[in-house]
Amino acid sequence: MKNILLLLFAIFCCGAVQSQSTISGKIVDDQTGEPILFANVYEEDGSNNTETNLEGEFGLTVSEGATIIVSYVGYKTYQFKVNPGITEYQIKLQADAVQLDNVVVTAFGIEKDKKAAGFSFSEVGGEEINQARDISVASQLVGKVAGLEITKPSNGPSGSTRINIRGLAQFGDNSPLIVVDGIIIDNTNVNAAGVFGGRDSGDGLSGLNQDDIENITILKGLSASALYGSRGANGVIVIATKSGKKQKGIGVDFTSNVSIDQVALLPNFQEEYGQGANGQKPTTQQEAFDNWRSWGARLDGSDTPIFNG
């Protein structure tokens, strides 16, 4: 009797082992062929699950004939049945535009469902940015985002823009953090005009092409700022640029913009007194080299040494 029970147990175990199989495969984007990282792969009943690695590959032990479901944010859910004798699968996921509309990019390219985001944010699409073009990317956001205060540059497209989110939070610099495709950029002013002249040479945002922008997300509040640590204490502006897409034929986008300015006031130049100091013109080459200001004698047509002698 004991031997019969052992035999039945062995047959049962063999049947259980035979009903299981290990499958593997690779999950890629249907359009680009790029591997999809951390996609969810699981049985329909939820008993077994795994994720793809950095190469988009996965391995899973499943039941014979089981239905496998593959899902990832921004893509349509894909399912297939495990066929006897087939252990490797090549899966192509198609982008789901409907799902993408419900996703917000937070820190370092991490996508999160809008309803699950526990902080305040606003989004501006690339089409909305280019509807009525302005002189800079930051100027395009004027009036489009609540709580975003923008002072346009007064010296043209190359000038820097002052940006504040929800007012001034501290003494000193209150500029938000600027992130482009997951990379933090330096948005400080390059040069500045002061009492003794100079000119505003722009900032990091002034170097961005408006046509390259896919969308802009403005993260507000302390919860959003915590995603980037202390550097995001004044809010974060996350900019995603466009990427190539597969299509039939040649695709051409043409954009034209014309801006005309009229000078309101020209400076009055002093043309009565020449180089020098205290009303005296230079008498030697060294004096002309050391003193280049125009506080010299009245211009009377007489010869004066200059810096090269």
Side-chain angles (χ1 to χ4, degrees), residues 76-96:
K76 295 181 180 179
T77 301
Y78 181 89
Q79 65 179 28
F80 64 94
K81 278 204 169 188
V82 177
N83 295 321
I86 301 178
T87 59
E88 292 188 6
Y89 295 85
Q90 183 79 6
I91 301 169
K92 297 180 180 180
L93 295 186
Q94 296 180 349
D96 190 349

Side-chain angles (χ1 to χ4, degrees), residues 155 160 189-202:
N155 61 327
S160 58
N189 294 358
V190 180
N191 300 325
V195 178
F196 298 103
R199 71 184 186 93
D200 183 359
S201 300

Side-chain angles (χ1 to χ4, degrees), residues 56-209:
E57 301 171 344
F58 72 93
L60 186 66
T61 301
V62 297
S63 305
E64 292 286 353
T67 300
I68 307 301
I69 298 177
V70 181
S71 64
Y72 189 72
V73 175
Y75 288 86
K76 295 181 180 179
T77 301
Y78 181 89
Q79 65 179 28
F80 64 94
K81 278 204 169 188
V82 177
N83 295 321
I86 301 178
T87 59
E88 292 188 6
Y89 295 85
Q90 183 79 6
I91 301 169
K92 297 180 180 180
L93 295 186
Q94 296 180 349
D96 190 349
V98 176
Q99 287 192 23
L100 287 175
D101 290 340
N102 298 320
V103 171
V104 59
V105 179
T106 58
F108 308 108
I110 299 174
E111 295 178 344
K112 196 169 187 177
D113 191 279
K114 290 182 179 179
K115 295 180 180 179
F119 49 82
S120 176
F121 65 89
S122 299
E123 286 185 294
V124 180
E127 297 82 4
E128 187 176 355
I129 293 175
N130 289 318
Q131 280 181 356
R133 298 176 66 89
D134 211 316
I135 57 178
S136 67
V137 174
S139 298
Q140 295 291 92
L141 300 176
V142 174
K144 293 183 173 68
V145 179
L148 185 64
E149 301 174 3
I150 295 178
T151 304
K152 295 183 180 182
S154 59
N155 61 327
S158 63
S160 58
T161 306
R162 182 182 177 186
I163 306 175
N164 291 319
I165 298 178
R166 291 183 171 177
L168 303 179
Q170 60 186 357
F171 290 105
D173 187 17
N174 286 269
S175 301
L177 188 67
I178 309 296
V179 182
V180 179
D181 291 335
I183 300 175
I184 297 174
I185 68 170
D186 183 8
N187 197 46
T188 55
N189 294 358
V190 180
N191 300 325
V195 178
F196 298 103
R199 71 184 186 93
D200 183 359
S201 300
D203 49 22
L205 276 179
S206 62
L208 291 180
N209 184 3

Side-chain angles (χ1 to χ4, degrees), residues 212-288:
D212 293 338
I213 296 177
E214 182 71 27
N215 60 69
I216 299 177
T217 304
I218 293 88
L219 307 181
K220 313 172 188 177
L222 296 177
S223 299
S225 302
L227 297 170
Y228 289 91
S230 60
R231 298 187 67 179
N234 297 317
V236 186
I237 297 179
V238 182
I239 300 175
T241 60
K242 296 178 181 178
S243 58
K245 59 183 178 180
K246 186 178 180 181
Q247 64 179 20
K248 293 182 180 180
I250 299 175
V252 178
D253 291 333
F254 175 77
T255 303
S256 177
N257 183 44
V258 177
S259 178
I260 300 175
D261 293 331
Q262 182 176 1
V263 178
L265 181 66
L266 292 174
N268 294 321
F269 291 99
Q270 186 277 120
E271 298 178 348
E272 187 175 353
Y273 296 90
Q275 182 181 357
N278 299 321
Q280 302 294 326
K281 61 183 180 182
T283 57
T284 64
Q285 177 185 355
Q286 189 61 40
E287 287 184 10

Side-chain angles (χ1 to χ4, degrees), residues 20-37:
Q20 299 283 324
S21 63
T22 300
I23 63 172
S24 61
K26 187 173 184 178
I27 301 175
V28 299
D29 185 281
D30 179 56
Q31 297 293 326
T32 64
E34 294 293 327
I36 298 178
L37 289 62

